[in-house]
Amino acid sequence: MAGFIATLEQAGRALWVSVGLALLCLVALLDYLTGYELSFSLFYLIPIAIFTWFIGNRAGVAASFMSAILWLVVDIQAGVQYSQQVIYFWNTLIRLVFFNITVLMLALGKALERERTFARTDYTTGIFNTRFFHVLAQREIDRTARNKTPLTVAFVDVDDFKAINDKFGHTTGDRVLGVIAAAMQRHLRRTDIVGRVGGDEFA
């Protein structure tokens, strides 16, 4: 699931803005066409979620305002009557608060997912760090022991890496590690695990 979401996040911002606005207009149209007896208003949360997750928190707040205003316009156009005019604006305020609570919850969820990714990823190479590699490796050891299947482990040490750092600097050395990690990922199967387990050591 996380991989699928990551793939979606790679789509351009313009695409998600278009999708979000289209869904926002579609929900408002359906809400209007079905009248006030059958409400589609809960579905405003879908474009709000898209704006928040794929574009940003400010976009989510903006989508919340647009949704609340569209909901108000649809209510008025659909002939919803209240005893006092102020109720229109009170309901709009309540909806806006509800929508923004949704934005906040999504933002917290995204921040948690980002921190979870950082906690298991090596900053320099983008592959698994030592701690998370050991967690995954132990799972594989347990799985192969349970299924009585073979397990292959390869340990890679970069020769003369210290000389690269000494001669060209640590920034260049980090780039070299990144290139090596990317090459390993390209030549491994999706089911294989690769991690940085030391300064210039991979497994």
Side-chain angles (χ1 to χ4, degrees):
M1 184 64 178
F4 177 69
I5 293 177
T7 301
L8 292 178
E9 287 177 339
Q10 293 175 1
R13 290 169 60 92
L15 172 63
W16 288 119
V17 169
S18 301
V19 171
L21 289 175
L23 286 174
L24 204 56
C25 294
L26 178 62
V27 172
L29 179 62
L30 290 174
D31 200 20
Y32 171 72
L33 293 176
T34 54
Y36 60 85
E37 292 184 350
L38 184 62
S39 177
F40 277 78
S41 304
L42 186 64
F43 293 99
Y44 283 112
L45 293 177
I46 297 175
I48 290 173
I50 288 175
F51 275 105
T52 303
W53 193 273
F54 296 109
I55 303 175
N57 297 342
R58 291 182 180 179
V61 172
S64 297
F65 274 93
M66 288 188 288
S67 298
I69 292 171
L70 283 172
W71 195 340
L72 172 63
V73 171
V74 168
D75 275 357
I76 295 173
Q77 293 298 319
V80 177
Q81 298 291 330
Y82 296 111
S83 59
Q84 298 183 31
Q85 293 293 321
V86 71
I87 296 178
Y88 285 110
F89 301 101
W90 173 257
N91 287 348
T92 301
L93 178 62
I94 295 300
R95 293 161 185 166
L96 184 59
V97 170
F98 171 69
F99 288 151
N100 277 287
I101 289 174
T102 303
V103 170
L104 177 61
M105 293 176 64
L106 285 167
L108 289 174
K110 188 174 183 180
L112 180 61
E113 180 62 28
R114 185 168 56 246
E115 290 302 317
R116 187 181 292 117
T117 300
F118 287 158
R120 61 193 183 195
T121 304
D122 176 63
Y123 176 78
T124 301
T125 60
I127 60 177
F128 294 133
N129 58 23
T130 303
R131 186 185 64 82
F132 195 64
F133 174 81
H134 286 161
V135 171
L136 295 179
Q138 188 59 55
R139 289 180 188 172
E140 286 300 304
I141 292 171
D142 294 341
R143 182 183 64 82
T144 54
R146 185 171 58 252
N147 297 332
K148 298 186 180 350
T149 54
L151 174 66
T152 301
V153 179
F155 185 81
V156 179
D157 180 77
V158 181
D159 290 337
D160 299 322
F161 181 70
K162 184 177 183 302
I164 295 175
N165 278 336
D166 292 342
K167 185 174 182 179
F168 300 103
H170 288 278
T171 301
T172 300
D174 288 347
R175 291 200 192 108
V176 171
L177 291 175
V179 169
I180 294 171
M184 294 177 68
Q185 286 182 306
R186 281 197 307 271
H187 292 88
L188 291 175
R189 300 168 300 179
R190 292 177 61 87
T191 54
D192 292 330
I193 301 168
V194 60
R196 184 184 179 193
V197 295
D200 58 355
E201 299 162 347
F202 301 85

